[in-house]
Amino acid sequence: GAGVSQSPRYKVAKRGQDVALRCDPISGHVSLFWYQQALGQGPEFLTYFQNEAQLDKSGLPSDRFFAERPEGSVSTLKIQRTQQEDSAVYLCASSLAGAYNEQFFGPGTRLTVL
Amino acid sequence: KQEVTQIPAALSVPEGENLVLNCSFTDSAIYNLQWFRQDPGKGLTSLLLIQSSQREQTSGRLNASLDKSSGRSTLYIAASQPGDSATYLCAAFTTDSNYQLIWGAGTKLIIKP
């Protein structure tokens, strides 16, 4: 079956632009996570959804970051007024049931802010 | 606060050798620990997940162990192959980390043909 997919794979934005990153989790997976990964580092947690409910958004670095999963499947991570420090790879993961289950990752979206 | 450390940051070994990658964590109250591999420019692939009640998990040439009392997990790779070259990351859920996996920075493994 299909794995987690993300689009676009690469995004270049000028500073100040808004961007939207999409994640399609594995069908039927309840849990969905967003991570930010800087070069040479492990992923940093951003936010967690269980179905359509956003249960933890404590990792979002500022109020410019917003995530949604309105129907409990596809999720969008939106970054407003992008800044250079937002440049990173944004990873999405899903798991079948609760947060503590095995997570399956998408290929990521590499965001470069000029 | 849970901290996860992976040493060394990089490792290079000849093909065919058995090797061990290390992962240390500071808080023994973990729920589970997961090992991943990451290939350049790609996402993370789950390798093994060990529940807190387990001591080890095996998948093919991979064996992961968990020792909560010493705060250590190891990933053993038998008969290494050039295709095993990747960055290996471990990540732990602790009982007080809410929904957040706590990650190590990874070990970059190079298998020389």
Side-chain angles (χ1 to χ4, degrees), chain B residues 1-2 14 32 37 41-42 47 49 57 66 75 78 91 97:
Chain B
K1 180 183 176 183
Q2 178 73 279
N32 60 43
R37 71 173 278 170
K42 297 187 179 181
L47 298 174
L49 182 148
Q57 282 281 358
L66 177 63
L75 179 67
S97 67

Side-chain angles (χ1 to χ4, degrees), chain A residues 17-30:
Chain A
Q17 283 185 330
D18 298 347
V19 299
L21 311 181
R22 177 187 169 106
C23 173
D24 285 79
I26 294 172
S27 178
H29 276 200
V30 167

Side-chain angles (χ1 to χ4, degrees), chain A residues 25 29-30 49-53 68-75:
Chain A
H29 276 200
V30 167
F49 289 88
Q50 189 173 89
N51 295 308
E52 69 278 5
E68 60 183 6
R69 194 187 185 197
E71 298 180 359
S73 55
V74 171
S75 177

Side-chain angles (χ1 to χ4, degrees), chain A residues 3-99:
Chain A
V4 178
S5 61
Q6 293 185 246
S7 62
R9 290 294 312 280
Y10 304 91
K11 177 69 177 178
V12 178
K14 292 183 179 179
R15 189 172 55 183
Q17 283 185 330
D18 298 347
V19 299
L21 311 181
R22 177 187 169 106
C23 173
D24 285 79
I26 294 172
S27 178
H29 276 200
V30 167
S31 294
L32 185 145
F33 306 80
W34 282 99
Y35 295 89
Q36 181 188 62
Q37 186 176 27
L39 190 65
Q41 300 294 318
E44 294 281 343
F45 171 87
L46 294 177
T47 188
Y48 165 64
F49 289 88
Q50 189 173 89
N51 295 308
E52 69 278 5
Q54 189 174 22
L55 299 188
D56 188 346
K57 57 180 181 180
S58 62
L60 296 176
S62 76
D63 59 7
R64 296 186 295 105
F65 286 71
F66 172 77
E68 60 183 6
R69 194 187 185 197
E71 298 180 359
S73 55
V74 171
S75 177
T76 303
L77 176 67
K78 297 180 180 178
I79 309 174
Q80 297 176 326
R81 305 181 302 281
T82 52
Q83 300 177 6
Q84 286 189 323
E85 59 262 33
D86 299 334
S87 296
V89 175
Y90 291 85
L91 296 167
C92 174
S94 69
S95 66
L96 180 60

Side-chain angles (χ1 to χ4, degrees), chain B residues 57-77:
Chain B
Q57 282 281 358
T58 298
S59 176
R61 294 183 294 108
L62 305 180
N63 176 278
S65 69
L66 177 63
D67 184 343
K68 291 193 298 179
S69 62
S70 65
R72 288 189 61 200
S73 177
T74 61
L75 179 67
Y76 174 83
I77 303 177

